[in-house]
Amino acid sequence: MMEAQFDLRGINFEEGYIAVIDKPLEWTSTDVVRKIKFALRKIGYPRIKVGHAGTLDPLATGILLVCIGRATKMVEALQAEEKEYVADVMLGATTPSYDLEHPVDRTYPYEHITREAAAEALRSLEGERLQTPPLFSAKKIEGTRAYELARAGETTETVELRQALVNIYETELQEYALPRIRIRVRCSKGTYIRSLAREIGEALHSGAHLTSLRRTRSGGFTVGQAWQLEDFLKKLRLLETK
């Protein structure tokens, strides 16, 4: 039975519960956790712990695992599991954040890119390797979030971003409609799909940035099991009246 079909009545959230949420567009992962925690407090859990297992950017949607009560002890293990994403990548242009958070800063030719070349570029990026995260990210540099440095005017020329070991297990070119392509990516914890989009552009002797991102799987949880956030909150509010 899908998670979203479960009746929440009778659940002791302190004992532990994993809510599989389809994160709405433009919400931060912290926004979702805060909203659920507030709702739980209103139904009799004033000190309950709530956390998430794997951040999604505000411009991304899809699976966010929200761990409640004793399930927060599972956060680290859940974060370590592989993820799957579907992403739209715009070829021929870059942005400072590698996505739509910032406007295009440079354009490149893209007319030379064939479907075969795009598929080959994806294959070339598979496997275990080091990846540089975006400057506009939550990575810490000497105790400061990278995005805070970026917003203060720092650039990749003045800030040294530590590379992370990631593994791209599988890629698939799902759609090809220049200048846009749609890709599916199965990858390890810590992989930045925004950085992968940038790397695709470079592999194609062009530029690229992410225009949409959806996490379709996290470990054994799929998007088909996910609650819409408002539906989950409504179920919690019903418990308030019991």
Side-chain angles (χ1 to χ4, degrees):
M1 183 180 291
M2 293 194 305
E3 180 84 13
Q5 293 176 326
F6 287 169
D7 190 339
L8 297 180
R9 289 175 298 180
I11 291 176
N12 184 332
F13 289 98
E14 286 284 7
E15 291 297 317
Y17 183 83
I18 299 172
V20 185
I21 301 296
D22 188 345
K23 189 191 79 65
L25 185 67
E26 297 185 347
W27 283 58
T28 69
S29 301
T30 302
D31 288 338
V32 175
V33 168
R34 187 183 297 116
K35 196 79 171 179
I36 290 175
K37 191 171 187 178
F38 178 76
L40 287 165
R41 285 177 173 174
K42 292 191 71 175
I43 63 171
Y45 295 92
R47 296 181 180 84
I48 196 163
K49 293 182 178 179
V50 184
H52 65 78
T55 301
L56 274 177
D57 290 333
L59 295 181
T61 63
I63 289 183
L64 182 70
L65 300 181
V66 179
C67 299
I68 300 169
R70 292 183 182 175
T72 55
K73 295 179 181 179
M74 301 171 62
V75 164
E76 190 172 338
L78 291 169
Q79 284 178 333
E81 295 185 330
E82 70 174 45
K83 313 292 191 296
E84 187 171 274
Y85 299 89
V86 172
D88 286 334
V89 177
M90 184 66 69
L91 302 173
T94 57
T95 74
S97 55
Y98 303 176
D99 64 4
L100 292 178
E101 183 182 349
H102 290 83
V104 168
D105 59 359
R106 191 170 177 182
T107 59
Y108 301 79
Y110 62 83
E111 294 80 5
H112 63 283
I113 299 171
T114 63
R115 186 185 188 98
E116 292 72 22
E120 179 55 36
L122 284 174
R123 285 192 292 270
S124 73
L125 294 168
E126 292 178 350
E128 189 176 66
R129 59 188 177 79
L130 292 172
Q131 184 187 64
T132 303
L135 182 55
F136 284 88
S137 69
K139 289 287 187 181
K140 284 191 174 181
I141 302 170
E142 296 181 355
T144 303
R145 297 289 184 186
Y147 62 77
E148 293 175 354
L149 296 172
R151 288 166 185 163
E154 299 290 347
T155 68
T156 51
E157 284 72 34
T158 59
V159 174
E160 184 177 353
L161 286 162
R162 182 178 298 176
Q163 291 185 312
L165 186 65
V166 301
N167 202 332
I168 308 294
Y169 303 117
E170 182 185 10
T171 61
E172 178 189 1
L173 179 63
Q174 292 191 327
E175 293 182 21
Y176 169 84
L178 285 184
R180 183 188 67 83
I181 61 173
R182 175 167 291 176
I183 63 174
R184 181 181 61 84
V185 181
R186 188 167 61 86
C187 59
S188 67
K189 166 193 173 182
T191 304
Y192 277 91
I193 307 301
R194 285 185 285 151
S195 290
L196 182 65
R198 182 92 167 193
E199 293 163 345
I200 291 168
E202 292 170 350
L204 290 168
H205 307 290
S206 183
H209 63 280
L210 203 64
T211 57
S212 74
L213 179 65
R214 183 163 179 76
R215 183 189 285 162
T216 53
R217 184 170 64 81
S218 181
F221 299 95
T222 66
V223 76
Q225 298 170 279
W227 291 87
Q228 295 301 309
L229 177 60
E230 190 53 42
D231 290 342
F232 186 70
L233 294 173
K234 283 179 181 177
K235 287 282 189 178
L236 290 179
R237 284 195 289 269
L238 288 174
L239 298 180
E240 185 181 351
T241 63
K242 300 299 182 183

